[in-house]
Amino acid sequence: MHKTCAHCSASFEITDDDLAYYSKISPVFPSTELRAGYGKNYPVPPPTHCPQCRQQRRYAIRNERNLHRRNCAMCKRNILSMYSQDKPFTVFCPECWWGNKWHGADYGRGIDFGRPFFEQFAELQRSVPRISLYLVNSENCDFCNFVGDCKSCYLTFGSVYSEDCLYGSAYYSKNCVDSLVTRECELSYECSDCRKLYRCLFCQDCYGSDHLLYCYDMQGCSECIACAGLRNKQYYIGNTPFSKSEYEERKRKIDLCSAAQTEKLRKQLESIKLGIVRHYMPSTNVQNVSGTHIYNSKNTFQSFYVDRCEDCAYCMQVVDLKDCHDNNYTEENELCYEYLGMYGAKNTFFSNFCRHTYGVCCSDYCINSKYLFGCSGMRDKDYCIFNKPYTKEQYEELVPKLIAHMQATKEWGEFFPTAISPFCYNETVAQEYFPLTKDQALGKGYRWQDTKDDMPEVQKVIAARELPAAIEDIPDDVLHWAIRCEATGRPFKIIRQELDFYRQMRLPLPHLHPDERHRRRLSLRNPRKLWPRTCGKCGEEIQTTYAPERPEKVYCEACYLSEVY
Ligand SMILES: [Zn+2]
Ligand SMILES: [Zn+2]
């Protein structure tokens, strides 16, 4: 079935499998005799938005990295928060929010069937305390957001189980600086979408390798410089083999603190990348899937950067999902649809940041709860609507009425509209994947926040190009300076842990603001979108993240395997 997107007017396909899925997740009330032909089914309608616009709408409520100073509304401490001072929310620091001095049910309210649902939900969000930074079970990570089980990390966003990682998004990693979704990596710098690396610098899409410098798409390699597309190789420079001694001799001459030398290596890698053959869908151990960077998964479509998923579609950056559609940043979920956030949810729809929930709909920041509709900040509570507790019978009578109301207002089946996002458009992840100018954003009715950096309290401000090039010439004093970003002019600081890392790895100080570094890593990736294209060798039809006009040589599975292995 083809539909026109209500947001961007593009034509998009809703497959028969999609339709079967929406019917499978549609709730039945009363639920007691679930699926026994008893009760009435409240169908989840097919989406009105194309997959891209659904993705954008989910991203538009997630602010990872734009943090501001404000006071905790409970303990009054000055804290860092994803909500700027001017946002109309009650914001608690993580300690106060996770503490038991407040209860979501205290903010409960009745349903007004005369007004749209989302308008009432937005009002509820403005009264229930919100957590300043989403930190779970983490130590010494005060400048991080959306992290769990981390220790001594700094400005990492969306990280789990990592230690001593600075800037970026590290998973199960140690001592990594400036990363973009690196998993199980150690002592690595400026690596994007890499797994199981040790001492690798400036790498992208590399796996199970060590001591790589400026490499792309390498597997099982060690000691390689400016190489791409190699498997199980050692002592290669520019995709050419060298003897161990010759390699070491050349490596010794490389000074990473010399901008001219690193620029030469980067350019060498760029030209080698253009020469190699690309797999139309880099993935491992998969069966019946489409998208890119899919691992250990089957029957998963239009999905990007996923691991251990089954029967899923339209998912990005997710792990361990079963029967989920339209998920971002989630783990260990089943039967969840249009959902953004953390883990352990089942039958949870149109929601953000719910953990260990079941039968939850249109809610955010709810934990260990079942059967919630339009709730915010509820913990260990069942059968609530707009945070007000009901009996099971009352709940099962009211929810169908509310769904019918939302059907009439055309809100049923939709994720939180961007208009009620707690954040301005350009503060959110949406701006990273679907960048808009201020005028474009305002034209679409989104809110915008002009970035203004407060100059940190420092002894002096130095332009990046005035920094000494050699790391041994950088004095400890730099910790009291602000550096002005070469590209954006934004000031940024260096912390002790970071300086020690650069010294240990013999790396220069960064010349770019952390946000600009993040933006540049993101730009290395292909868009999370599939285009039809033909295999560069046999002409077979393929679906790939390489747009047809791009210059890379993109091959189908069979042609790729015969060429590369
Ligand atoms: Zn669209
Ligand atoms: Zn082919």
Side-chain angles (χ1 to χ4, degrees), residues 80 104 181 236 318 356 373 379 392 394 403 439 471 477 483:
L80 211 55
V181 192
Y236 273 60
V318 295
H356 302 297
F373 203 110
R379 252 176 280 166
K392 178 176 188 288
Q394 289 169 327
I403 292 176
D439 286 346
I471 189 67
D477 255 7
I483 302 170

Side-chain angles (χ1 to χ4, degrees), residues 198-444:
Y198 178 71
R199 279 197 182 259
C200 291
L201 315 172
F202 307 98
C203 290
Q204 187 191 0
D205 280 327
C206 293
Y207 173 81
S209 300
D210 63 271
H211 297 88
L212 303 182
L213 177 62
Y214 283 99
C215 285
Y216 173 79
D217 180 26
M218 305 279 278
Q219 290 181 24
C221 294
S222 172
E223 295 288 0
C224 294
I225 300 167
C227 291
L230 301 182
R231 303 290 179 265
N232 309 312
K233 295 284 190 285
Q234 200 176 17
Y235 309 126
Y236 273 60
I237 302 176
N239 276 23
T240 308
F242 284 85
S243 71
K244 182 171 188 279
S245 58
E246 175 79 353
Y247 173 89
E248 282 170 352
E249 178 65 26
R250 287 177 180 237
K251 187 181 175 181
R252 230 187 331 268
K253 288 189 189 141
I254 294 174
D255 175 12
L256 293 173
C257 291
S258 153
Q261 282 199 33
T262 51
E263 185 55 16
K264 204 175 138 205
L265 288 172
R266 200 187 60 76
K267 285 207 169 124
Q268 189 182 2
L269 173 63
E270 279 314 304
S271 81
I272 283 171
K273 272 169 77 176
L274 274 185
I276 64 160
V277 167
R278 310 291 180 97
H279 191 287
Y280 78 107
M281 179 187 72
S283 297
T284 316
N285 189 23
V286 294
Q287 211 184 320
N288 197 24
V289 301
S290 69
T292 193
H293 294 71
I294 307 177
Y295 307 95
N296 314 306
S297 299
K298 64 180 183 185
N299 306 326
T300 290
F301 306 102
Q302 302 257 358
S303 292
F304 307 85
Y305 301 86
V306 312
D307 196 358
R308 300 192 295 270
C309 289
E310 202 179 323
D311 302 322
C312 293
Y314 315 109
C315 290
M316 286 101 222
Q317 222 172 304
V318 295
V319 186
D320 286 313
L321 303 188
K322 172 94 179 76
D323 264 325
C324 289
H325 280 209
D326 290 87
N327 272 226
N328 297 72
Y329 313 108
T330 69
E331 278 190 39
E332 290 179 41
N333 295 330
E334 198 178 331
L335 284 163
C336 289
Y337 173 55
E338 280 275 17
Y339 183 70
L340 185 81
M342 264 191 158
Y343 50 82
K346 236 181 134 178
N347 290 69
T348 293
F349 315 127
F350 314 113
S351 291
N352 181 31
F353 260 91
C354 293
R355 286 172 65 196
H356 302 297
T357 55
Y358 184 90
V360 167
C361 196
C362 302
S363 297
D364 76 350
Y365 293 95
C366 294
I367 317 247
N368 291 334
S369 298
K370 289 201 290 281
Y371 307 108
L372 306 177
F373 203 110
C375 287
S376 182
M378 299 298 278
R379 252 176 280 166
D380 311 307
K381 279 272 182 294
D382 303 340
Y383 300 110
C384 299
I385 305 170
F386 289 140
N387 286 23
K388 186 177 166 182
Y390 293 95
T391 63
K392 178 176 188 288
E393 290 68 31
Q394 289 169 327
Y395 181 86
E396 298 220 321
E397 199 185 310
L398 278 171
V399 169
K401 275 191 196 162
L402 190 49
I403 292 176
H405 173 61
M406 291 173 76
Q407 283 168 337
T409 55
K410 298 202 163 32
E411 293 171 292
W412 176 239
E414 303 292 346
F415 189 72
F416 304 116
T418 305
I420 68 157
S421 168
F423 306 105
C424 298
Y425 186 86
N426 60 325
E427 290 181 288
T428 68
V429 184
Q431 178 67 3
E432 296 178 11
Y433 290 95
F434 302 89
L436 298 176
T437 63
K438 183 178 178 178
D439 286 346
Q440 285 169 332
L442 296 177
K444 287 174 188 287

